[in-house]
Amino acid sequence: MRQLRLLAAVAVVVGHGYVLNGITPAPRVGGIPLHTLGLYIFFTISGYLITSSWNRWPNIPSFVRNRALRILPALAAVVLLTVVVIGPLATDLTLREYLSTSQTWLYLSGVLLVPQYELPGVFDSHVSPAMNGSLWTLGIEACCYLATALLGIALRRFAWIGTLVLGVVAIALALQPAGSSLESLRPAGAVCSYFAIGALACHLRVDRRHFPTVLIVGLAIGWVLLGEFNAPVATTAAWLVVPATVLAIALRSRESSSGVDLSYGVYLWGYPIQQLVIQVNPDLPVTFSVALTIVFTLAVATLSWHYLEAPALGLKRSARPEPTQRLQSKSALGATTA
């Protein structure tokens, strides 16, 4: 699944690159902007994996610790380095003005999953002054994690019913019409719905046998073509086609637990690096701008993985129970195991 997550992260970077360079709409697949499709892939995989993790080891303290070890170290690094390195280098203000502005230090709330998007005097002349527009999904994803655990505790082997209900609610939010009082919740509803679909697939023990290759390939090709002729219908069909395609690919992949996973680092760093590339050379053609961003982002993501994420995951693995303890936990939960 690492390769698929990395592909999704790169899709987010590419889509954002077009938007930040003032070229809209961004490239679309099945009527969906590339960066948005990357998010849907991320959330589908996350829903499946997080639910599987909970079902294997249904323990709140351990679950919270493991999720925090995966998310927070790299997030803290990107937020802190943004404030103390990128901000001072990119701002139009003097260093003293920059450091004395409360907005600068409010940006640090991003470490607590409450992102602020702008820094004083930074990227004010850009299409978007946002420092890192990708951070908006992290708090939502954390809420999805919490919902997974709460449903597991409250409903046990019937957690799939709660997941189904939440998925329907999320889709309803995603379909709110323009001008509705709930319109602002559409993006959150959309990504949560894909998380719920992935989680539901795990609860129902969906595996690769449920995804015949010919059927999935046909669905995916038909959906892409549909997006060229009727984007609204293709966008609706994506709730079926995208999770089916993602899970069909992911469940066929084989990977060891010790491999390199750059997807999270790419996702965190792609946006601010693209903004820096634009600041240094705003006249660079978009394809070159995006290509440079991907190269620099992969380099930074590699450092993030080796020096932050992998060591943190080592702490997570060292805290896992012995196989006999896992078996006892699974037995206690009964049919909720996946």
Side-chain angles (χ1 to χ4, degrees), residues 28-77:
R28 292 174 180 260
V29 178
I32 300 174
L34 198 57
H35 49 292
T36 303
L37 180 60
L39 286 179
Y40 294 167
I41 294 171
F42 261 130
F43 272 78
T44 300
I45 295 174
S46 183
Y48 190 96
L49 292 179
I50 294 302
T51 303
S52 176
S53 175
W54 171 262
N55 288 344
R56 287 196 309 270
W57 191 6
N59 178 277
I60 282 285
S62 300
F63 183 79
V64 171
R65 182 191 63 241
N66 290 346
R67 303 290 72 77
L69 286 172
R70 184 64 186 103
I71 292 177
L72 296 183
L75 174 61

Side-chain angles (χ1 to χ4, degrees), residues 4 40-41 44-45 194 197-198 201 206-208 210-213 215-217 219-220 237-252:
L4 190 55
Y40 294 167
I41 294 171
T44 300
I45 295 174
Y194 282 90
I197 292 170
V206 169
D207 60 35
R208 60 186 181 181
H210 295 91
F211 301 107
T213 301
L215 174 61
I216 294 302
V217 171
L219 274 176
W239 272 299
L240 169 64
V241 179
V242 171
T245 304
V246 167
L247 293 174
I249 296 171
L251 294 175
R252 282 177 168 81

Side-chain angles (χ1 to χ4, degrees), residues 36-331:
T36 303
L37 180 60
L39 286 179
Y40 294 167
I41 294 171
F42 261 130
F43 272 78
T44 300
I45 295 174
S46 183
Y48 190 96
L49 292 179
I50 294 302
T51 303
S52 176
S53 175
W54 171 262
N55 288 344
R56 287 196 309 270
W57 191 6
N59 178 277
I60 282 285
S62 300
F63 183 79
V64 171
R65 182 191 63 241
N66 290 346
R67 303 290 72 77
L69 286 172
R70 184 64 186 103
I71 292 177
L72 296 183
L75 174 61
V78 72
V79 171
L80 290 171
L81 289 174
T82 295
V83 170
V84 302
V85 178
I86 298 177
L89 291 175
T91 186
D92 294 331
L93 306 179
T94 66
L95 182 60
R96 182 173 183 176
E97 289 172 332
Y98 173 82
L99 294 177
S100 63
T101 303
S102 61
Q103 184 183 9
T104 300
W105 304 110
L106 284 174
Y107 192 90
L108 294 175
S109 65
V111 176
L112 302 176
L113 303 177
V114 184
Q116 305 296 315
Y117 297 105
E118 297 178 21
L119 284 170
V122 177
F123 306 145
D124 286 343
S125 62
H126 288 203
V127 172
S128 168
M131 187 70 239
N132 195 340
S134 295
L135 300 185
W136 74 273
T137 65
L138 299 183
I140 295 171
E141 187 162 2
C143 290
C144 290
Y145 295 169
L146 180 61
T148 299
L150 293 178
L151 287 175
I153 292 171
L155 300 179
R156 297 173 68 83
R157 67 178 181 271
F158 298 109
W160 69 271
I161 297 177
T163 301
L164 177 61
V165 171
L166 290 181
V168 170
V169 171
I171 291 175
L173 290 175
L175 293 175
Q176 289 297 304
S180 165
S181 60
L182 298 176
E183 181 185 3
S184 62
L185 296 179
R186 286 164 60 178
V191 293
C192 288
S193 67
Y194 282 90
F195 184 96
I197 292 170
L200 187 62
C202 181
H203 280 306
L204 298 180
R205 304 185 183 184
V206 169
D207 60 35
R208 60 186 181 181
R209 294 172 298 175
H210 295 91
F211 301 107
T213 301
V214 174
L215 174 61
I216 294 302
V217 171
L219 274 176
I221 293 175
W223 172 67
V224 172
L225 293 175
L226 179 62
E228 297 299 318
F229 299 100
N230 195 323
V233 174
T235 301
T236 302
W239 272 299
L240 169 64
V241 179
V242 171
T245 304
V246 167
L247 293 174
I249 296 171
L251 294 175
R252 282 177 168 81
S253 65
R254 295 182 179 181
E255 57 189 28
S256 67
S257 60
S258 58
V260 174
D261 185 358
L262 302 183
S263 59
Y264 186 45
V266 169
Y267 183 77
L268 288 178
W269 283 101
Y271 200 106
I273 289 177
Q274 179 68 83
Q275 289 282 54
L276 286 172
V277 169
I278 293 171
Q279 174 139 321
V280 172
N281 194 337
D283 298 322
L284 199 64
V286 64
T287 51
F288 289 102
S289 180
V290 171
L292 274 177
T293 298
I294 291 173
V295 170
F296 291 139
T297 301
L298 287 172
V300 175
T302 300
L303 294 174
S304 176
W305 171 258
H306 286 292
Y307 293 101
L308 286 172
E309 298 169 59
L313 289 177
L315 296 174
K316 171 182 168 181
R317 284 191 287 268
S318 68
R320 287 178 178 172
E322 296 299 322
T324 54
Q325 291 177 292
R326 292 193 197 182
L327 182 60
Q328 291 170 359
S329 295
K330 292 170 70 175
S331 300

